[in-house]
Amino acid sequence: MQKHLTTLADRAFGERADASLIVAYESHQDALRFLSSALSQPNGIALLQGPGGSGKSTIVREQLAWSRRAAPVALVDGVHLSPRQFLQSVLEQFGVAPVPLHDEQMLQALNKFAVQKKSSGQAPVIVVDNVDRATPSALRLLNWLAALEAQDGFALRFVLTGREALSASFRNDSTRSITRRNAATYSLNPMSVREATLYLRTRLLAAGGARIEKVLPLDTCEQLHQASLGWPGALNMFAFERLQQTEEKQDSKPVPRIIVSSDGETIAEYELTERKYVIGRGDLADIIIEDSYVSKMHAMLQVYRNAIVLHDLNSTNGTRVNSVEIQKTVLRSSDIITLGGHRLKIENAPVIGSEMDAKVRAADTLTLQNLADIRRLRAQHTIAALKHK
């Protein structure tokens, strides 16, 4: 598993995620085609609706990147939007300078600008994100703007986004101009399991993640899809939490250890924090067993993140695990290694995975090389120690 998963999660799914990264899926692409078509119609107004976190803001920003090539575009967030903020923001984004100070002057400036652009075939586009959360006064202003006409049609085009049943919220007298324009409506759909898996892994890869099939295996992606119902906002949130929990679980994983006993009495305990341990009677062993039936270099432990492997080093009397003689095996928690009259109990051993199983089945050449390296290294240390005596 990759280290620093919380940092990676933040870059892929959190606040540090690249806002320009777009992972399109079927409904996302359908929504883009819908917006492009609706804005090209004479009524020029589109409603995009879906639950919170369904990707509405991402979709309209992508659409506006294309619309800006052909006409002026202004994007405002409708949450607690006041009429004055609305007008100032729109005029500034349209490049109208200087922006008038008074509301009436701002309305006149916007009307003049819109009519001029419409006459040249560049009817401006105003996008109000979260329009269903705008103040009543801002909605009345929006209704007034929707009624503006040029000589050959409406002066402004609109994209309005909101939660489900957005279209029903415009069926009242205060928004009759919007209703009169017969706005086209598109309701977003969630991702499929396959789309969600592609979405999650693409974002993770773009954030610098490696071995993404290990970080987010298929079963995890399916679980995240089920929890989020396939909506991108919820997918981001649940994926971030899952990776954070995975790192916390890794950090809290107990350290594997061996308890050495003889005649029922505990003699020593060893935490397995290093990569290799030689078990034997000689002074060169890491875990020394004072027993005449134990060879000087009797067995070797190789400690991996996801397994502990025990190798017999061609000992004279052999190595037994749970009363079965072995040459090489993966140790599990509560396994008992028997060496002469001593018992070595394994605790907190990791559960073996398929990757480690393949390593265990590999040839013993690496083990023999490791043993030779250890012997050479310790012989060098012994010679160095004798020289200094």
Side-chain angles (χ1 to χ4, degrees), residues 298-301 309-315 317-331 335-339:
H298 194 107
M300 175 189 284
L301 289 172
V309 183
L310 174 67
H311 303 261
D312 181 81
L313 299 178
N314 297 321
S315 63
N317 295 303
T319 302
R320 289 175 174 79
V321 175
N322 301 329
S323 301
V324 177
E325 187 165 349
I326 62 94
Q327 287 298 315
K328 178 171 60 176
T329 189
V330 177
L331 297 174
D335 278 352
I336 302 295
I337 305 169
T338 302
L339 300 177

Side-chain angles (χ1 to χ4, degrees), residues 1 5 14 26 48 84 104 126 143 171 182 197 206 246 279 309 312 334 348 371 382:
M1 187 66 70
L5 287 181
E26 184 176 1
L48 182 63
R84 186 170 184 80
E104 186 65 30
I126 295 178
N143 185 69
R171 297 170 186 168
N182 296 317
T197 300
T246 299
I279 304 172
V309 183
D312 181 81
S334 299
N348 305 327
L371 178 57
T382 300

Side-chain angles (χ1 to χ4, degrees), residues 28 33 46 99 128 142 147 167-168 181 183 213 216 227 235 254 289 294 323:
H28 177 112
R33 286 190 286 268
V99 175
V128 184
L142 179 63
S167 56
R181 289 181 63 164
E213 71 283 356
L216 284 176
L235 264 176
I289 306 296
V294 176
S323 301

Side-chain angles (χ1 to χ4, degrees), residues 35-81:
L35 292 176
S36 179
S37 176
L39 291 176
S40 67
Q41 300 301 315
N43 57 353
I45 187 168
L47 305 183
L48 182 63
Q49 61 186 24
S54 58
K56 300 184 295 293
S57 299
T58 299
I59 290 168
V60 295
R61 282 176 171 81
E62 185 177 359
Q63 174 61 40
L64 295 188
W66 290 95
S67 297
R68 284 192 176 98
R69 301 178 182 185
V73 174
L75 170 63
V76 294
D77 188 347
V79 179
H80 308 307
L81 183 67

Side-chain angles (χ1 to χ4, degrees), residues 13 224 231-242:
F13 309 111
L224 293 174
W231 296 113
L235 264 176
N236 289 339
M237 179 184 69
F238 286 122
F240 180 90
E241 292 177 352
R242 176 62 65 92

Side-chain angles (χ1 to χ4, degrees), residues 267-382:
I267 297 174
E269 296 184 10
Y270 298 87
E271 286 193 343
L272 303 180
T273 57
E274 301 297 329
R275 180 66 181 273
K276 303 178 188 71
Y277 292 85
V278 172
I279 304 172
R281 179 166 46 86
D283 292 337
L284 296 181
D286 300 295
I287 299 174
I288 299 175
I289 306 296
E290 296 288 355
D291 192 308
S292 59
Y293 286 91
V294 176
S295 299
K296 289 183 178 180
M297 301 187 78
H298 194 107
M300 175 189 284
L301 289 172
Q302 289 181 294
V303 182
Y304 301 91
R305 179 189 57 79
N306 52 355
I308 301 174
V309 183
L310 174 67
H311 303 261
D312 181 81
L313 299 178
N314 297 321
S315 63
T316 301
N317 295 303
T319 302
R320 289 175 174 79
V321 175
N322 301 329
S323 301
V324 177
E325 187 165 349
I326 62 94
Q327 287 298 315
K328 178 171 60 176
T329 189
V330 177
L331 297 174
R332 295 168 173 81
S333 292
S334 299
D335 278 352
I336 302 295
I337 305 169
T338 302
L339 300 177
H342 289 71
R343 291 159 57 90
L344 287 71
K345 183 179 180 181
I346 304 298
E347 290 190 348
N348 305 327
V351 178
I352 186 172
S354 57
E355 180 183 356
M356 183 50 59
D357 185 54
K359 289 183 178 180
V360 172
R361 296 175 185 273
D364 290 333
T365 304
L366 180 59
T367 300
L368 296 175
Q369 289 175 344
N370 289 335
L371 178 57
D373 290 341
I374 290 171
R375 282 177 170 155
R376 282 194 297 270
L377 180 61
R378 293 184 181 177
Q380 292 170 2
H381 288 171
T382 300

